[in-house]
Amino acid sequence: MEKQKKRFEDRIWDFFVSLKLGITTLILLSITSIVGTLLKQGQSKGEYVQENFARMFPDGFPPKMTQLDYDKLREGFESTYRFFDSMYFFDMYHSWWFLGLLGLFAMNLICCSINRLPRVLKIVREPELKPEEKFYKTLANRDELIVTGSIAEVETKVAGFVASEFAKPQRTEEGDKVHLFAQKAPYARFGVYATHLSILIILAGAMIGIKFGYKGFVWIAEGSSISQVSSREGRGMIPLEFTVQCDKFELEYYEGSRMPKEYRSDLVVFENGKEILKKRIVVNDPLTYKGITFYQSSYRPIGGGVHRLLVTPRDGAAFEVEAKEGAPVSLPNGGSFAVGAYNDNLRNFGPGITMHVNSPDGKRGNPFPVYKYHPGADAQIRKGAFAFDLIDSDLEYATGLQVAKDPGVEVVWVGCTLMIIGTMVAFFLSHRRIWVTLVPDGGKVKVLYGGNAHRNQPGFALYFDEFKSKIKKYLS
Amino acid sequence: MDGSQLLSTQILNYVTIIYFVAMVCFVVYLAVRNETVALTAKVLIWVGFVAQTFALGYRWYESYQMPGGVGHAPLSNLYESVIFFAWTIILIYIALDLKYKQSAIGAFVIPFAFLAIAWAQLQLPSSISPLVPALQSNWLTYHVITCFLGYAAFAVACGVSIMYLIKARDEEKNKDDSSGIVGMFPSSKILDDINYKAIMIGFPLLTLGIVTGAAWANYAWGTYWSWDPKETWSLIVWFIYAAFLHARFTRGWAGKRAAWLSIIGFMATIFCYLGVNLVLSGLHSYGG
Ligand code: HEM
C-alpha cells in the first residue's frame, strides 16, 4: 500500500519535472495563442454574426437570397459563436484553460529547477579537489608531462602559470601529491536558473497587477478637476485619494499639415487642498502619483472656445473680431452674429465653425459653415451683408487620460532584466575548470592536467590546445 | 513628399542592384566553383552594406531637413522597417562570414536581404512621413532595432537550415561524392552548428525586442502587455525558438528536426512581422 502510494507520487513528480512536458506546454501555448489572434477578443454575438456576413458577402446580400436562407445562415453563425464562446475563445487569454496552461508551465519550470539545482550547486560548491588519474581519463581535454625538479619548485612554477594564464588555483595536498584546481565563471551555470526564475517573476508581477491594480479612464475639461476615474474593466467609478486638475490642453499639428504632432496636458495634483505636483504630460511621458499613472490618450473639443474671425462688410474695410462660442457679437449695421459649434473636420473640409447672423431687427438667420482653411468661401457661397472667415480658434478641450495602477509593473521589469542577463549568461558564458596534479616520479615530477567547460566545448578545446603548448614551453 | 526624389532612396536603388548581382555571383560560384567569383560577391556585399548604411544615415539626416520638425530615425513605417530588415540580414551575414568563411552560405542568405530591399524599393511608398505622437519614443527605436536584429539572425538560421536539408539528403544518397552544387556546401555538421549559433544570437535579441516593446507600450498607454495580435505572435515566435533550444540541448534534437523547427520558426517570424499587419489587425498597423 505504502509502496503504491509512493510510486504514484513519484509518477506525478516525474510528470512535472520532465522537459517533455515543458516542450509540450510551449508548443500548446503557441498553438492556442493563435486562436486568440484569429478571433477578435471581447466580441459580442451580434458583432460576430455581422462580421461573418460581411466577410461572406462583401458586396451585399445576393438578390436570390430568401429570408429562410438568411435565417439558416445566421443560425449557423450563432451556433458557432455559442460553441466558441463555450470554449472561452472570445476572452481566451483570461480563460481557465489558458491560465491553467500557463500555471502548468510555471509549475513545470519550478519543479524542473528544484530537481536540477542541487546537482549544479554541488558541482560549483564541491569541486573535485583531489582528482585521481582515473578522473583525468574522463576529461576530453587532458595531457601529461614529466618535469625535472622538486614538487615544491614545480608547484610554484605551475601555480604561477595557471594563475597568470587562467585563474588563481586552489591548492590541496594529498600525501606526497599536490593538486591544483582553478575555475572561471562558475556562476555561468546559474544563467539557466536565472532565466527560468525570471519567467516566474514576470508571471508573479502580472498577477500582482491583476490583483491589486486597475485600468481606468477619465475626461478632464480644461480648468476643471476630477477625483475619481471610471474603470475600464466594468468596476464602475474608482475614487482617488487626490484631485487631478487640467490647466490646459494643447494640440500641435505638424507645420502645414493636419497630422497631430503632439498632445499636451498641463496637470496639477492636489491633495487635501494643497498643490503637490505639476507636470505637462504628452504621449509617452505620463504623470505618476501614489502609484497611479495618467497617460495622455485622447482629447475632444468641448463648447466655450474663442474664435478669431475676419469680417468683411460687402462695402467697407475688413476687420477682426473675437467671438466666444454661444455669445452674440454686434456688427456695425446694428445686427449681430454668434458662433455655434466648432468641429475639427466640418463637413470634411477641415476645422470650421457653424454660425448664424441676426439681422438688425433681431431676426435669426440660418446657420452656415465657415472654414479655417478655405478663406473666401463664405463670401462666394452665401453672399450675405458680411462675409466671414475663420482665422484662428482657441478651443476649450477636455483631455482624455488613460489611468493605470499597476503595483506589479516594477516586479515585471525586474523579471525582464533578469531574463536578459540570464539568457546572455546561459548562452555566452561557460564554466571552465582546469585541474593539475603533481605526482613525484623518481626524482622528477609527473604533471597531470586537464580541463573542461560546461558549454562551447569546441571553443574550450582550442583554448586548451594553446594552454598545452604554452605550459610545455614554460616548464621545459 | 515623393520619396523617390530622396537621395537616400536613389542610393538604395543601386544597393538593390548590388545585392542582386552579389546574389547571382554566389549562385554562379556554387556552379563553377571559382573562388574569384565568391570574392567578387563578398566585395559587392561589403560595398552594398557600406552604401546602405550611408543611405540609412542620410535618410535620417534628410528627415531633419524637411519642413515642420518631422525628423526621426528611419525606423517608423513599413518601407523603413523592411529596408532596415535587409540591412540587419547583411550585417549578420557579414559577421557569420568573418567567423565561418563559408562562401556557399551567401547563396542562401543574401536572397532574403535582396527580396526585402527589392520589395521595399519597388512596391512600398518611400516618403518620409511625420510620426504620430504614439511613435515618438526612444523605446520604439530600441524595440525596432533589437527585434530586427533578432529576425535577421532567424533569417540566417532559416537559410542555413534549408542548406542543411539539401546537404543532408545529398549526403545520405551519395556518401562522398562532392561534385555538383551541393559539393560546395559546408558539411552538414557545420550547417547544423551555424543554425544553432544563429538562433542562440537571435533569441536574446528577440527577448530584448519584446521587453523594449513592452516598456514602450507601458509608457504610451499604461499596459505592458495587452495580447494584441502582434504581441501574441511575437510571443509565439519566442515560444517556438525556446522549444527549439530546449529540444536541442536536453533532448538532442539536432540535424533535420532542428532544421525544420528553425524553418517553422522563421515562417512564424515573417507572419509576426508582415502577416499580422496584412491579415490581422491591431495596434501595430504600420503605415496603413
Ligand atoms: C519560454 C520559456 C523558457 C525559457 C526562455 C527558457 C530558457 C532557457 C535557457 C536560456 C536555457 C539555457 C540554454 C543553454 O544552456 O543552452 C534553458 C535550459 C533549460 N531549460 Fe529552459 N526556458 C524556458 C522554459 C523551460 C521549461 C518550461 C522547462 C521545463 C522543464 C525548462 C527546462 C530547462 C532545462 C531542463 C534546461 C537545461 C538545464 C541544464 O542545462 O542544466 N525550460 N532554458
Side-chain angles (χ1 to χ4, degrees):
Chain A
M1 185 70 202
E2 188 61 35
K3 215 171 165 190
Q4 273 271 311
K5 198 174 157 220
K6 192 148 187 307
R7 270 212 352 240
F8 179 67
E9 280 168 12
D10 275 352
R11 282 229 302 275
I12 298 237
W13 178 250
D14 287 347
F15 173 75
F16 275 113
V17 300
S18 80
L19 190 73
K20 226 186 225 164
L21 175 67
I23 294 173
T24 312
T25 22
L26 276 176
I27 290 172
L28 276 178
L29 278 170
S30 306
I31 293 169
T32 51
S33 296
I34 296 175
V35 174
T37 68
L38 295 177
L39 292 173
K40 203 148 121 221
Q41 298 294 288
Q43 214 172 192
S44 72
K45 196 196 293 180
E47 284 166 346
Y48 177 79
V49 171
Q50 205 146 38
E51 195 170 279
N52 274 285
F53 271 132
R55 195 171 305 149
M56 201 162 181
F57 308 112
D59 311 316
F61 293 115
K64 272 192 293 196
M65 189 170 191
T66 64
Q67 182 69 33
L68 210 65
D69 292 338
Y70 174 85
D71 284 346
K72 235 195 218 149
L73 212 52
R74 201 196 54 211
E75 179 46 35
F77 289 146
E78 282 184 357
S79 69
T80 344
Y81 181 90
R82 276 193 299 272
F83 171 70
F84 284 164
D85 197 36
S86 70
M87 310 277 284
Y88 302 89
F89 278 180
F90 295 104
D91 189 20
M92 211 203 86
Y93 305 109
H94 304 102
S95 67
W96 63 266
W97 59 264
F98 189 77
L99 294 177
L101 213 49
L102 277 177
L104 187 64
F105 179 68
M107 203 56 196
N108 182 216
L109 215 43
I110 294 171
C111 294
C112 178
S113 297
I114 291 177
N115 196 36
R116 285 167 177 257
L117 201 52
R119 237 177 300 162
V120 175
L121 278 174
K122 194 156 180 263
I123 291 176
V124 172
R125 284 226 195 106
E126 302 162 25
E128 179 62 79
L129 291 177
K130 298 178 188 169
E132 296 174 22
E133 290 207 28
K134 214 165 63 218
F135 173 83
Y136 282 99
K137 296 234 162 66
T138 65
L139 297 174
N141 304 286
R142 61 165 191 277
D143 197 25
E144 243 178 73
L145 294 170
I146 306 284
V147 186
T148 47
S150 72
I151 285 267
E153 278 166 17
V154 177
E155 186 201 327
T156 330
K157 271 183 119 176
V158 171
F161 177 80
V162 172
S164 72
E165 195 58 31
F166 185 69
K168 201 169 155 29
Q170 182 178 349
R171 175 180 190 275
T172 315
E173 248 185 76
E174 184 192 12
D176 52 0
K177 289 193 248 176
V178 173
H179 303 284
L180 299 174
F181 167 70
Q183 60 178 348
K184 264 187 163 170
Y187 54 84
R189 297 213 182 238
F190 298 103
V192 177
Y193 299 94
T195 311
H196 290 165
L197 180 65
S198 74
I199 294 170
L200 299 173
I201 293 176
I202 291 170
L203 289 176
M207 254 147 63
I208 293 172
I210 290 167
K211 194 108 189 90
F212 302 105
Y214 58 77
K215 308 255 177 267
F217 191 87
V218 68
W219 286 107
I220 316 179
E222 280 180 296
S224 67
S225 58
I226 54 97
S227 56
Q228 54 177 5
V229 302
S230 66
S231 163
R232 284 201 283 139
E233 297 146 322
R235 291 193 228 157
M237 297 305 285
I238 302 163
L240 303 175
E241 288 171 35
F242 49 86
T243 320
V244 184
Q245 177 177 309
C246 174
D247 281 347
K248 180 129 195 75
F249 172 84
E250 280 172 338
L251 171 61
E252 190 188 333
Y253 290 103
Y254 282 101
E255 224 175 282
S257 126
R258 295 281 305 137
M259 185 148 167
K261 181 176 187 182
E262 190 165 87
Y263 310 111
R264 303 186 270 269
S265 300
D266 291 334
L267 300 184
V268 192
V269 176
F270 290 96
E271 193 168 13
N272 303 323
K274 272 205 311 261
E275 184 183 314
I276 306 280
L277 189 65
K278 225 175 175 159
K279 181 166 179 181
R280 164 171 290 188
I281 67 163
V282 297
V283 179
N284 280 310
D285 187 15
L287 171 145
T288 303
Y289 183 62
K290 289 205 158 165
I292 300 170
T293 309
F294 296 83
Y295 300 85
Q296 182 68 62
S297 149
S298 62
Y299 73 96
R300 62 162 199 238
I302 50 173
V306 179
H307 304 275
R308 218 144 49 85
L309 297 158
L310 183 72
V311 185
T312 319
R314 191 174 293 160
D315 31 36
F319 58 92
E320 280 184 29
V321 288
E322 279 198 348
K324 193 167 161 44
E325 269 171 39
V329 179
S330 339
L331 287 166
N333 68 351
S336 64
F337 75 90
V339 175
Y342 168 86
N343 191 315
D344 236 6
N345 193 9
L346 186 60
R347 303 184 192 182
N348 275 329
F349 286 110
I353 49 171
T354 312
M355 56 177 292
H356 68 267
V357 177
N358 300 315
S359 63
D361 53 13
K363 239 179 41 216
R364 186 191 163 106
N366 290 326
F368 58 90
V370 172
Y371 304 103
K372 186 169 174 184
Y373 295 134
H374 302 281
D378 182 47
Q380 273 179 28
I381 296 164
R382 199 172 47 88
K383 302 192 170 71
F386 295 90
F388 297 88
D389 287 308
L390 180 59
I391 300 170
D392 219 340
S393 300
D394 188 6
L395 298 170
E396 294 270 304
Y397 286 105
T399 183
L401 306 177
Q402 203 94 259
V403 185
K405 178 178 171 186
D406 189 344
V409 77
E410 272 85 14
V411 178
V412 170
W413 295 146
V414 168
C416 288
T417 312
L418 185 64
M419 173 175 289
I420 287 158
I421 297 171
T423 45
M424 300 283 186
V425 169
F427 289 150
F428 303 117
L429 295 183
S430 149
H431 178 206
R432 286 162 294 162
R433 294 175 291 181
I434 286 182
W435 290 267
V436 183
T437 298
L438 308 175
V439 189
D441 188 24
K444 295 188 174 183
V445 178
K446 184 156 97 175
V447 182
L448 285 162
Y449 64 104
N452 71 10
H454 98 291
R455 54 180 18 265
N456 193 13
Q457 265 60 311
F460 186 75
L462 286 177
Y463 174 84
F464 193 78
D465 282 345
E466 208 173 298
F467 183 88
K468 241 167 39 186
S469 61
K470 277 192 191 159
I471 198 169
K472 272 186 195 144
K473 232 191 264 159
Y474 188 77
L475 293 181
S476 62
Chain B
M1 164 151 194
D2 181 6
S4 62
Q5 302 296 317
L6 296 166
L7 177 62
S8 58
T9 313
Q10 289 166 11
I11 298 173
L12 289 171
N13 281 332
Y14 292 107
V15 173
T16 311
I17 295 167
I18 293 173
Y19 288 161
F20 178 73
V21 177
M23 183 174 86
V24 171
C25 285
F26 275 125
V27 175
V28 169
Y29 163 74
L30 290 184
V32 304
R33 303 170 158 222
N34 180 329
E35 289 301 326
T36 319
V37 179
L39 188 66
T40 313
K42 284 184 196 175
V43 170
L44 284 171
I45 289 297
W46 273 97
V47 171
F49 182 70
V50 170
Q52 193 182 3
T53 310
F54 174 78
L56 284 174
Y58 197 74
R59 187 179 167 89
W60 199 338
Y61 167 78
E62 282 172 326
S63 75
Y64 278 90
Q65 298 311 106
M66 295 181 58
V70 167
H72 55 80
L75 300 168
S76 73
N77 59 24
L78 187 59
Y79 170 82
E80 292 176 334
S81 79
V82 174
I83 295 288
F84 185 68
F85 185 37
W87 185 83
T88 52
I89 293 174
I90 300 287
L91 177 73
I92 302 263
Y93 168 76
I94 288 177
L96 190 74
D97 186 56
L98 290 177
K99 184 155 163 50
Y100 287 91
K101 301 190 172 49
Q102 297 286 350
S103 303
I105 292 171
F108 285 81
V109 171
I110 301 304
F112 289 119
F114 168 71
L115 283 178
I117 195 169
W119 179 47
Q121 291 302 106
L122 296 175
Q123 297 270 321
L124 298 174
S126 59
S127 56
I128 296 178
S129 43
L131 287 184
V132 298
L135 297 183
Q136 297 163 12
S137 165
N138 285 336
W139 284 112
L140 184 65
T141 312
Y142 308 143
H143 171 56
V144 174
I145 291 175
T146 46
C147 278
F148 279 99
L149 282 170
Y151 291 175
F154 296 149
V156 168
C158 175
V160 168
S161 292
I162 295 171
M163 287 179 90
Y164 177 90
L165 291 176
I166 298 171
K167 181 78 179 180
R169 217 180 55 190
D170 190 67
E171 277 176 344
E172 273 164 27
K173 259 200 261 152
N174 29 359
K175 280 272 178 301
D176 32 36
D177 168 30
S178 63
S179 67
I181 287 179
V182 181
M184 296 309 287
F185 285 16
S187 73
S188 61
K189 214 172 134 206
I190 291 180
L191 291 170
D192 183 55
D193 187 49
I194 296 176
N195 181 24
Y196 174 50
K197 293 263 165 63
I199 288 172
M200 218 163 68
I201 289 169
F203 189 75
L205 284 165
L206 179 65
T207 310
L208 254 179
I210 295 175
V211 169
T212 48
W216 168 48
N218 194 52
Y219 273 99
W221 36 76
T223 40
Y224 52 84
W225 196 262
S226 48
W227 292 106
D228 95 88
K230 194 89 168 180
E231 287 171 350
T232 309
W233 268 96
S234 69
L235 193 66
I236 292 169
V237 170
W238 193 70
F239 282 154
I240 293 175
Y241 285 108
F244 171 96
L245 291 168
H246 286 81
R248 184 175 186 103
F249 52 66
T250 49
R251 303 199 68 78
W253 272 42
K256 266 191 193 156
R257 284 192 287 190
W260 277 114
L261 210 49
S262 171
I263 293 169
I264 292 170
F266 186 62
M267 285 184 342
T269 306
I270 288 296
F271 189 80
C272 176
Y273 174 25
L274 299 172
V276 171
N277 300 65
L278 304 176
V279 182
L280 309 171
S281 60
L283 297 169
H284 279 75
S285 299
Y286 254 140

